[in-house]
Amino acid sequence: MRYGILSSITATWAAFFMSTAYGKSPAPFVPPGGFVSGEMTVQNGAGESIIKMTNGAPDELAGLDLSFIGGFKDSAGNKLSRGLYISTQPYGSFGAGCGLCLIMTADGITEAGGRPAISGVDYRNGAASVVNSINFDQVGFYEFADNTTARMVLDVSAYTADGVTLKTPMTTAQMAQLHPNMYIQTNSIDSSLPETGTAQGLLPTLRSYFGFIKSWDATHIYVTGWAVPGIGSTAAGQVPSTSYDSWYSDYKKPVVFVGAPNKTFGRNLFLSYDGARAGSLASSTIHQLEGEELDMFVRRETRPHSVSLHGLTITPLFENRNPEVLTTDSYDLQLAGDIADHLVINEAAKNNVIRANSFYVHGNEGVGLAQNGAIQKRIGLEYDAWSDSGHNFRLASYLSKDGNTVAWQDTSLHLGLLIDGVQGQFTGSSPEGDIVWNGQGNTGGLALCGGSGQCGVIQHYDGSVTLGPAIVNGSFSFMPDSGDSQGHPYIQAESANTVKFATSSGAGVLVKTAQLDTTGDINVGNNLVFTPAPYSNLGSANRPGTQRYCSDCYSTLSADHTPGIPVWANGTLWTDALGNEAGHP
């Protein structure tokens, strides 16, 4: 139909849709001064097409099954623009629940795929329908896409480089479904190409020959060329083989899938920026591309927890709860490409940024003084995992307000293990040790602490290390300033200039400045060696009990004065073993 007066378009559309709404063919509509044709076309006053219900242009790339609103050019070459405004008020389940339903399936409007899954219950089942619907939904824009069937699956007699000869001639109705540029797939594979996907948990490598339809007759479909998508040869003249696929299909004979995609997109948003349109002679001033924005504005509502918002929900569902059907490269969300920030989250300080079963991230609320109404310990992030399905191991990072000033020196950062409890909280958890940065009294340092809160290894800002009462090797202790409480031998810093090596009873050796003391006997199981020294190097004998070995001393009781004897200091003199003054040169 053609009509030159836009004010009468409403009547044209009404006549068309009313006639088709009840399964009838539309009666020819003849507008005043117009004429009838085999398609519905709306023109402007200049006789230029602005709406076509079928593609009347000789352009198969535009899609011969499509209807067009705008996009045509006027006589001067300018694009004729036409928008689409849909105002709707959904009222029920299935198709009655959507404003705009986009259905991509081979099913008709009364079949499963053709019915929008809105509320998803048959109202005629009474109370059961009400219960099973859960919510009475309305959807502004509903999309459905499935693994759509091929328009035809046809047996093959033979392949040539430019097409296929069919075993059975096509009917007129079958040929009417064909269009130039239509996909056509074979089940014949290029066996010279390796199959590498299965071993990696991916789909088997696609090795079948594909093509695009160019033309046809009853027994032939001609293509622009055959090749294997993605990994095949680009050479002209390829002919599909007699080796057949057994995974994607298993006909065990040659067939072609006509009008069959091999991948479904629910939605593909494509943004384009052309720099040739910018610059000194710009034809466009657009420099900002926004893929998608979801806004929600709440008005005249102040009651807590009175509005629910779910921005985006991705929920794969599996019959028999079998997610193993997915390939190893499957995902809910991928952020890809070379861009400075893949994800920007402008959360409020008190928000939870991520709350997953295994991972939790809180906003940057932090901690503060109690008198200012702030919390003193707060978990910022944690990773959770179950042990034997019985206890939750929680690796948590948290801040602790340790002092009573607002200075940063009074706040510490912890990374530790919590067992059980509530995610993001300390309630019901058992602390099992921390690494602590900037702990109280250790500004700029870090410490390794047990679940009791007692720290065993403390590194200070200057790099020095203090050891707390930590057990070493299960049977030895390093003690800072007091005895051991575990019943183990220990090393103790007894004072600023004394180190004590002691048994659990306290008996041991004290290393002091320039001397070695013992609280008990020294038992020598082998030789006790004193470094020989001449008398002139023995030094003062004013420390009674000091023993040396004098290389040129002798006992005066010895007739031959043989040199080399042990000597002892008596407070005044160096003496021999009998207490007599040792002889010397």
Side-chain angles (χ1 to χ4, degrees):
M1 288 175 263
R2 293 186 179 178
Y3 197 35
I5 304 174
L6 288 177
S7 62
S8 299
I9 288 179
T10 302
T12 305
W13 282 95
F16 179 81
F17 285 112
M18 284 297 291
S19 63
T20 59
Y22 301 99
K24 301 175 183 178
S25 297
F29 178 81
V30 184
F35 63 93
V36 179
S37 70
E39 64 178 45
M40 179 177 178
T41 300
V42 178
Q43 297 181 341
N44 62 15
E48 296 161 331
S49 298
I50 56 175
I51 298 175
K52 282 178 175 285
M53 292 306 296
T54 60
N55 184 353
D59 182 4
E60 58 270 17
L61 295 181
L64 298 178
D65 283 352
L66 298 185
S67 299
F68 297 86
I69 300 176
F72 304 101
K73 293 294 185 71
D74 64 16
S75 57
N78 299 312
K79 192 188 91 166
L80 293 167
S81 176
R82 215 73 198 150
L84 177 64
Y85 176 93
I86 299 176
S87 180
T88 181
Q89 189 172 4
Y91 62 85
S93 61
F94 293 106
C98 70
L100 175 62
C101 292
L102 175 60
I103 309 295
M104 189 164 62
T105 180
D107 292 352
I109 62 173
T110 62
E111 297 174 298
R115 293 195 187 278
I118 300 173
S119 294
V121 294
D122 188 334
Y123 77 97
R124 292 168 292 194
N125 292 332
S129 300
V130 175
V131 173
N132 293 331
S133 67
I134 304 176
N135 290 315
F136 282 23
D137 299 327
Q138 65 173 353
V139 178
F141 180 28
Y142 174 90
E143 297 176 83
F144 176 83
D146 63 8
N147 56 332
T148 309
T149 60
R151 296 198 177 195
M152 292 176 283
V153 180
L154 304 175
D155 288 336
V156 172
S157 175
Y159 289 110
T160 62
D162 64 350
V164 56
T165 300
L166 302 175
K167 183 169 287 188
T168 302
M170 290 183 289
T171 65
T172 302
Q174 287 177 315
M175 288 191 287
Q177 297 185 60
L178 301 180
H179 299 302
N181 187 38
M182 181 174 282
Y183 301 132
I184 183 170
Q185 303 179 29
T186 78
N187 67 332
S188 297
I189 64 172
D190 183 347
S191 56
S192 69
L193 299 173
E195 197 291 292
T196 59
T198 304
Q200 303 177 62
L202 307 176
L203 292 175
T205 305
L206 185 64
R207 300 179 290 168
S208 301
Y209 288 88
F210 284 51
F212 294 97
I213 293 176
K214 179 174 62 176
S215 60
W216 58 90
D217 57 39
T219 56
H220 300 88
I221 297 177
Y222 300 100
V223 299
T224 57
W226 296 111
V228 176
I231 60 173
S233 169
T234 59
Q238 298 179 62
V239 178
S241 70
T242 55
S243 297
Y244 306 123
D245 175 49
S246 61
W247 194 90
Y248 290 94
S249 67
D250 193 17
Y251 281 94
K252 296 181 175 61
K253 61 179 180 178
V255 299
V256 287
F257 303 88
V258 179
N262 76 319
K263 184 175 182 178
T264 293
F265 283 83
R267 183 172 180 232
N268 188 347
L269 173 62
F270 190 99
L271 301 178
S272 175
Y273 176 86
D274 185 353
R277 300 172 182 176
S280 58
L281 299 176
S283 60
S284 171
T285 60
I286 294 175
H287 290 266
Q288 301 177 76
L289 303 179
E290 196 85 20
E292 190 163 3
E293 181 174 335
L294 170 64
D295 295 319
M296 180 178 178
F297 183 40
V298 179
R299 297 182 298 163
R300 294 190 285 273
E301 180 58 81
T302 59
R303 295 171 296 173
H305 312 303
S306 57
V307 179
S308 174
L309 169 64
H310 296 162
L312 176 64
T313 302
I314 303 174
T315 309
L317 300 174
F318 306 95
E319 188 177 26
N320 301 322
R321 297 185 178 180
N322 182 24
E324 299 301 322
V325 300
L326 294 180
T327 58
T328 55
D329 62 346
S330 298
Y331 52 78
D332 277 337
L333 180 66
Q334 182 185 71
L335 305 176
D338 188 355
I339 189 170
D341 298 304
H342 281 276
L343 182 64
V344 176
I345 303 176
N346 292 317
E347 85 283 0
K350 296 183 179 181
N351 296 160
N352 292 324
V353 181
I354 299 175
R355 195 175 192 96
N357 290 333
S358 59
F359 192 58
Y360 165 87
V361 179
H362 189 66
N364 59 348
E365 183 177 6
V367 296
L369 297 175
Q371 57 264 37
N372 294 336
I375 195 171
Q376 281 72 64
K377 289 176 69 175
R378 186 183 301 281
I379 294 175
L381 65 89
E382 68 174 80
Y383 170 75
D384 302 341
W386 288 94
S387 169
D388 300 312
S389 301
H391 293 283
N392 194 8
F393 277 55
R394 303 165 53 201
L395 180 63
S397 173
Y398 64 93
L399 291 181
S400 175
K401 190 64 180 177
D402 303 323
N404 56 7
T405 74
V406 296
W408 65 267
Q409 291 85 349
D410 276 347
T411 298
S412 58
L413 172 65
H414 298 242
L415 178 64
L417 174 64
L418 301 174
I419 303 296
D420 297 331
V422 180
Q423 187 183 68
Q425 302 179 26
F426 294 96
T427 306
S429 65
S430 172
E432 299 298 329
D434 288 354
I435 301 174
V436 182
W437 286 264
N438 202 55
Q440 194 168 27
N442 189 30
T443 302
L446 62 88
L448 184 63
C449 307
S452 67
Q454 186 71 44
C455 300
V457 180
I458 305 170
Q459 181 166 351
H460 303 285
Y461 175 81
D462 61 4
S464 63
V465 176
T466 298
L467 299 179
I471 306 302
V472 179
N473 292 331
S475 60
F476 201 87
S477 299
F478 287 91
M479 311 303 299
D481 54 13
S482 62
D484 175 62
S485 61
Q486 306 293 326
H488 301 139
Y490 61 90
I491 299 175
Q492 174 186 333
E494 191 174 65
S495 65
N497 59 359
T498 301
V499 177
K500 182 178 183 179
F501 297 81
T503 64
S504 58
S505 66
V509 176
L510 285 78
V511 179
K512 299 182 179 181
T513 304
Q515 72 181 63
L516 177 68
D517 294 344
T518 177
T519 58
D521 297 337
I522 297 179
N523 297 316
V524 180
N526 209 323
N527 297 324
L528 180 62
V529 179
F530 293 90
T531 301
Y535 181 84
S536 59
N537 289 344
L538 293 180
S540 173
N542 62 358
R543 295 183 66 191
T546 302
Q547 182 179 359
R548 299 290 301 274
Y549 184 86
C550 180
S551 60
D552 58 359
C553 295
Y554 56 89
S555 174
T556 56
L557 299 179
S558 172
D560 57 3
H561 290 184
T562 302
I565 63 172
V567 293
W568 287 263
N570 65 3
T572 303
L573 303 172
W574 291 102
T575 66
D576 61 15
L578 298 177
N580 298 315
E581 181 180 1
H584 56 84

